[in-house]
């Protein structure tokens, strides 16, 4: 039986640093949780309140600040490639690490990069992810959250019909994996994966050459579907 991964905990100072806010602002959000839905604390460290980092990330992801809804990106060639810091500024975030935080802590919320550069040396390699301006503009127009029309419901794209009896070694992406596992959307699949609910898929079978997108074999996806956690519906 696979044990569930312990959640990552974060205090107000850590959350504030990631969001370009102050610890006092995080405390204020928590104190007004009855109105805004901010997550409850998960634990205490002395007198310091600790939150489940994934829950806080999800809350911020679904509640873009008003200044972002009013932000007009600068004119750029739609095919220009921007790194994570430039993409954060282009989207109107004060914190240049905001896109990096989305990619790291909220899989499925932010688009996959359009290109990945392999840099550094053989002893110290690193990767730089890049997004096209058009990709960022498309995300701004359709991102989850309140957007420009608060209260308007947005219907997620329907997942494709994926046959279970196809080639067991065929590599499938997140959209097809979500469909085979019975999720309602690719975002709910990605969220469940990041929370450790799909242990057989934590390590992908392959990454695409363009963008480094994860791929799994149909066999492994179906093995996960046979597990109790693979039947979760979110």
């Amino acid at each position: 039986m696979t044990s569930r991964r312990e959640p990552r905990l974060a205090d107000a100072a850590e959350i504030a640093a990631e969001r370009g806010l102050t610890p006092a602002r995080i405390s204020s959000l928590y104190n007004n949780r009855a109105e805004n839905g901010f997550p409850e604390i998960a634990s205490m460290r002395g007198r310091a309140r600790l939150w489940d980092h994934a829950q806080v990330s999800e809350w911020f992801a679904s509640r873009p600040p008003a200044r972002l809804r009013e932000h007009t990106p600068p004119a750029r060639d739609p095919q220009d490639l921007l790194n994570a810091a430039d993409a954060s500024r282009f989207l109107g975030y004060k914190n240049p690490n905001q896109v990096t935080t989305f990619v790291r802590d909220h899989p499925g919320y932010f688009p996959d990069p359009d290109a990945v550069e392999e840099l550094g040396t053989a002893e110290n390699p690193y990767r730089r992810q890049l997004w096209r301006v058009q990709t960022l503009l498309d995300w701004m127009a359709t991102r989850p959250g309140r957007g420009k029309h608060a209260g308007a419901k947005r219907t997620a794209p329907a997942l494709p019909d994926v046959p279970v009896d196809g080639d067991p070694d065929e590599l499938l992406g997140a959209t097809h994996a979500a469909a085979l596992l019975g999720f309602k959307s690719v975002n709910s699949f990605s969220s469940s994966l990041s929370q450790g609910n799909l242990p057989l898929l934590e390590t992908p079978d392959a990454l695409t050459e363009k963008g480094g997108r994860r791929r799994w074999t149909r066999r492994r996806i179906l093995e996960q579907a046979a597990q109790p956690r693979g039947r979760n519906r979110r």
Side-chain angles (χ1 to χ4, degrees):
M1 179 177 180
T2 303
S3 60
R4 182 165 182 169
R5 179 188 301 168
E6 290 296 321
R8 173 188 169 191
L9 301 180
D11 60 18
E14 182 180 353
I15 296 169
E18 289 183 353
R19 303 291 164 181
L21 303 172
T22 64
R25 176 59 176 158
I26 301 302
S27 295
S28 176
L29 290 171
Y30 173 71
N31 291 337
N32 290 283
R33 61 191 180 281
E35 291 76 31
N36 60 34
F38 195 79
E40 292 285 350
I41 60 173
S43 183
M44 296 287 294
R45 182 189 296 139
R47 298 180 61 183
R49 291 177 291 207
L50 301 176
W51 286 270
D52 183 322
H53 188 272
Q55 291 181 4
V56 174
S57 295
E58 185 173 356
W59 183 87
F60 274 105
S62 65
R63 185 183 174 89
R67 64 179 175 79
L68 293 182
R69 297 199 296 269
E70 298 167 357
H71 172 70
T72 300
R76 296 287 300 259
D77 186 325
Q79 297 305 310
D80 282 352
L81 288 168
L82 305 181
N83 62 25
D86 289 338
S88 296
R89 287 186 282 266
F90 178 81
L91 293 169
Y93 291 104
K94 291 183 178 180
N95 182 358
N97 295 320
Q98 191 60 63
V99 166
T100 298
T101 299
F102 281 152
V103 172
R104 183 191 65 214
D105 297 334
H106 200 71
Y109 175 69
F110 200 73
D112 290 333
D114 294 295
V116 177
E117 295 180 342
E118 303 291 343
L119 303 172
T121 64
E123 295 76 20
N124 187 29
Y126 69 93
R127 306 167 78 221
R128 180 166 64 184
Q129 298 178 319
L130 301 166
W131 288 264
R132 287 194 176 88
V133 166
Q134 188 60 56
T135 299
L136 300 176
L137 292 173
D138 291 344
W139 179 77
M140 286 189 72
T142 61
R143 65 185 169 202
R146 296 183 176 183
K148 295 182 178 179
H149 304 287
K153 295 183 178 179
R154 179 177 293 122
T155 302
L159 294 175
D161 290 328
V162 184
V164 297
D165 56 353
D167 181 355
D169 294 318
E170 181 183 3
L171 292 170
L172 304 175
T175 301
H176 292 80
L180 281 175
L181 290 168
F183 286 94
K184 294 180 179 179
S185 70
V186 68
N187 283 345
S188 59
F189 161 76
S190 296
S191 177
S192 188
L193 180 63
S194 69
Q195 294 174 40
N197 296 333
L198 306 172
L200 299 184
L201 303 184
E202 288 185 356
T203 301
D205 292 300
L207 298 174
T208 61
E209 293 184 5
K210 180 180 179 181
R213 300 184 180 185
R214 294 169 294 184
R215 295 290 184 265
W216 301 268
T217 62
R218 180 182 273 102
R219 177 184 291 106
R220 276 225 294 157
I221 295 170
L222 293 177
E223 288 174 354
Q224 180 62 71
Q227 302 297 314
R229 293 190 186 279
R231 297 190 186 101
N232 288 349
R233 302 293 185 264
R234 293 175 177 261

